[in-house]
Amino acid sequence: MQQDANTLYKLIILFMLDKVDFPLTNSQISEFILEQGYTNYFTLQTALNELVESDMIEIESIRNSSLYHMKQSGKEAVDMFEDRISDAIKQDILAYFEENKYKLRNEVEITADYYPARKDEYYVVCKIKEKGNVLLELKLNVMSKEQAVKICDDWHKDSSDVYAYMVEKLMMK
């Protein structure tokens, strides 16, 4: 019985990843599954780890977030076993995406991270993506970790203004 429940949790995760054209973060997946009361946090994390270990999904780390991408073997698994997910659960997932898709996409397609360069210097990499395609990638060299953190923290709210300014400025001639 527990094996069937674990299989269901994995299929729910795969179904979620199959229904969007962008990766989902650990917190986005967790928010949905935990709010619905399907399982607890530890069981969910086990299911995610087992999907990564079985090469059905891959994980990408950006700053403090883990992004999950569907792999071909995960797509094949959900296509074969989707009928094991109840229609009610599928409808919950689709309704969640309908209500939150823009917010979810925005969270994963506007990213900023920093890396140490040399002593007391950091590289900041800020990106705006749309459907997986990079629209803008900005790399900055800053003189302190505090500056790097501040830029990363502010990028999410200011990225569209920066993008618009750069396009406007570069088009003026």
Side-chain angles (χ1 to χ4, degrees):
M1 185 66 171
Q2 183 63 25
Q3 181 65 23
D4 289 341
N6 288 337
T7 300
L8 176 61
Y9 306 143
K10 291 176 195 175
L11 286 170
I12 290 171
I13 295 164
L14 292 173
F15 185 82
M16 290 178 73
L17 290 170
D18 189 46
K19 295 304 173 191
V20 292
D21 57 356
F22 52 90
L24 293 173
T25 65
N26 188 307
S27 62
Q28 291 170 335
I29 294 169
S30 298
E31 178 183 315
F32 171 76
I33 291 177
L34 298 176
E35 280 184 8
Q36 295 296 322
Y38 295 140
T39 190
N40 63 49
Y41 177 80
F42 299 106
T43 303
L44 173 60
Q45 295 309 308
T46 300
L48 282 165
N49 287 331
E50 288 176 1
L51 286 169
V52 170
E53 288 172 7
S54 63
D55 207 34
M56 292 193 185
I57 62 176
E58 64 183 340
I59 189 169
E60 173 187 8
S61 295
I62 297 179
R63 205 160 171 218
N64 296 326
S65 294
S66 298
L67 282 76
Y68 293 97
H69 300 263
M70 175 85 83
K71 294 187 82 174
Q72 184 59 37
S73 57
K75 172 77 173 131
E76 291 168 3
V78 76
D79 287 347
M80 284 193 321
F81 300 110
E82 181 180 329
D83 61 331
R84 293 188 183 181
I85 306 170
S86 73
D87 288 339
I89 292 173
K90 290 177 190 175
Q91 288 306 311
D92 287 344
I93 292 168
L94 295 175
Y96 175 72
F97 286 147
E98 184 67 31
E99 186 175 320
N100 298 292
K101 193 168 190 171
Y102 177 77
K103 178 183 86 103
L104 296 172
R105 179 189 302 273
N106 200 26
E107 288 175 0
V108 298
E109 292 199 332
I110 298 174
T111 61
D113 205 354
Y114 64 91
Y115 311 93
R118 293 183 281 276
K119 185 178 180 192
D120 297 325
E121 288 185 30
Y122 291 84
Y123 289 119
V124 180
V125 180
C126 303
K127 291 183 186 179
I128 301 174
K129 296 179 185 177
E130 185 174 285
K131 296 185 179 179
N133 297 316
V134 177
L135 297 178
L136 174 69
E137 183 173 355
L138 181 63
K139 295 180 181 179
L140 303 168
N141 190 336
V142 296
M143 302 310 291
S144 72
K145 184 175 182 178
E146 292 75 25
Q147 289 175 326
V149 169
K150 176 85 170 110
I151 291 169
C152 288
D153 289 345
D154 290 346
W155 178 247
H156 199 78
K157 71 179 185 335
D158 294 334
S159 60
S160 61
D161 292 339
V162 171
Y163 180 77
Y165 173 79
M166 289 180 70
V167 170
E168 180 182 323
K169 191 71 173 171
L170 294 170
M171 297 296 289
M172 296 173 73
K173 292 229 184 210

